[in-house]
């Protein structure tokens, strides 16, 4: 029967990565996606930028919007201190099911709270509930990697829900490809944010891409 791409990614992890070794999980996915089939993981080039931002912020609370197969979830979780709270939201139940297994293979499942959002507009359902459901006041770091159409509305929603504070850092993937021009326009023109971008490439390709870094200053 048909085996989906996400299942082939999971099989590549189970075949080539060592249980309990997050770096080997990352390497297995990157090898599969650069040698066999492209997939929308953040990839190693942008992943190194993500790692440097996570290490610099050293966050106690992290929100990831868009889990997909758990590649960036594993990258981020493996750099967090044990007391950190890390929530990753995934709209698609099939992606969430694979991500759980990838995260479990990496041996991180005790650190990462996956909350699959099973309904359309799911992040907008979950963001208002995060404070009460997870006992989180504000996020030190948010990684936006779900759907470009929701970057701006979800950022505004996080502001309205008081989930962001002075010093919170937002890092957004794909502001060029596929592109989130309304989001870039909003954050560039807002006095609330200090923003800059890291030049990079679309995962596993030579196409131009940026990671957009936002520091909240007021
Ligand atoms: O939809 C996406 N969500 C999160 N990340 C993405 C990502 O890194 C890349 C792409 C993408 C880029 C080019 C293309 F031809 C087709 C899909 C989509 C997403
Ligand atoms: Mg992406």
């Amino acid at each position: 029967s048909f085996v989906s791409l996400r299942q082939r990614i999971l099989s590549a992890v189970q075949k080539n990565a060592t249980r309990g070794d997050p770096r080997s999980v990352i390497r297995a996915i990157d090898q599969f996606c650069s040698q066999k089939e492209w997939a929308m993981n953040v990839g190693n080039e942008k992943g190194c930028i993500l790692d440097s931002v996570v290490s610099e912020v050293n966050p106690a609370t992290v929100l990831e919007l868009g889990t997909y197969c758990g590649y960036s979830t594993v990258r981020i979780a493996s750099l967090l201190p044990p007391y950190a709270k890390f929530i990753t939201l995934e709209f698609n139940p099939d992606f969430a099911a694979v991500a759980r297994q990838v995260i479990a293979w990496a041996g991180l499942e005790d650190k990462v709270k996956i909350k699959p959002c099973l309904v359309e507009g799911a992040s907008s359902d979950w963001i208002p509930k995060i404070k009460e459901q997870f006992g989180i006041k504000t996020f030190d770091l948010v990684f936006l990697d779900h759907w470009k159409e929701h970057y701006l509305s979800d950022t505004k929603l996080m502001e309205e829900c008081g989930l962001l504070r002075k010093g919170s850092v937002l890092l957004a993937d794909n502001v060029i490809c596929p592109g989130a021009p309304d989001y870039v326009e909003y954050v560039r023109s807002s006095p609330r944010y200090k923003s800059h971008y890291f030049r990079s490439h679309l995962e596993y390709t030579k196409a131009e891409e940026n990671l957009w870094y936002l520091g909240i200053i007021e």
Side-chain angles (χ1 to χ4, degrees), residues 50 53 57 63 65 139-144 151-152 154-156 158-159 163-165 167-173 175 183 186-187 192-196 198 211-217:
L50 174 61
V53 171
V57 175
L63 175 63
L65 299 177
F139 284 106
D140 301 330
L141 175 66
V142 180
F143 181 48
L144 294 93
Y151 279 23
L152 183 51
D154 281 346
T155 298
K156 288 180 172 176
M158 286 188 283
E159 291 175 355
L163 284 169
L164 304 177
R165 58 165 174 78
S168 294
V169 170
L170 285 78
L171 188 66
D173 190 22
V175 291
Y183 178 75
Y186 172 77
V187 297
R192 190 173 299 153
Y193 298 99
K194 165 176 68 73
S195 64
H196 70 85
F198 296 91
L211 276 184
W212 197 267
Y213 175 102
L214 288 181
I216 300 189
I217 51 177

Side-chain angles (χ1 to χ4, degrees), residues 59 61-66 76 85-89 123 126-127 130 134 136 139-144 154 158 163-164 169 171:
T61 53
V62 184
L63 175 63
E64 175 181 60
L65 299 177
I76 294 167
K85 285 188 176 177
F86 179 12
I87 297 170
T88 181
L89 296 185
S123 44
W126 270 100
I127 286 171
I130 284 175
F134 300 100
I136 284 175
F139 284 106
D140 301 330
L141 175 66
V142 180
F143 181 48
L144 294 93
D154 281 346
M158 286 188 283
L163 284 169
L164 304 177
V169 170
L171 188 66

Side-chain angles (χ1 to χ4, degrees), residues 24-158:
S24 73
V25 168
I26 296 304
R27 194 165 45 251
I29 295 174
D30 282 333
Q31 279 172 355
F32 178 83
C33 293
S34 41
Q35 294 161 12
K36 302 277 189 335
E37 297 181 70
W38 188 90
M40 61 177 173
N41 317 113
V42 75
N44 195 47
E45 186 182 358
K46 291 189 283 180
C48 288
I49 297 169
L50 174 61
D51 291 352
S52 63
V53 171
V54 173
S55 303
E56 186 186 321
V57 175
N58 193 32
T61 53
V62 184
L63 175 63
E64 175 181 60
L65 299 177
T67 314
Y68 186 42
C69 293
Y71 175 93
S72 51
T73 317
V74 168
R75 265 197 109 112
I76 294 167
S78 63
L79 295 175
L80 295 181
Y83 56 79
K85 285 188 176 177
F86 179 12
I87 297 170
T88 181
L89 296 185
E90 177 48 57
F91 163 76
N92 180 311
D94 299 322
F95 293 164
V98 164
R100 283 184 202 290
Q101 296 173 79
V102 167
I103 289 160
W105 196 270
L108 294 162
E109 67 272 24
D110 60 326
K111 256 199 204 137
V112 177
K113 298 277 171 294
I114 291 252
K115 271 289 159 201
C117 296
L118 308 186
V119 293
E120 180 57 34
S123 44
S124 57
D125 293 348
W126 270 100
I127 286 171
K129 295 183 207 162
I130 284 175
K131 278 187 186 269
E132 77 207 326
Q133 298 279 333
F134 300 100
I136 284 175
K137 290 186 182 54
T138 57
F139 284 106
D140 301 330
L141 175 66
V142 180
F143 181 48
L144 294 93
D145 192 26
H146 54 336
W147 183 237
K148 57 196 171 90
E149 313 287 350
H150 296 162
Y151 279 23
L152 183 51
S153 53
D154 281 346
T155 298
K156 288 180 172 176
L157 187 57
M158 286 188 283

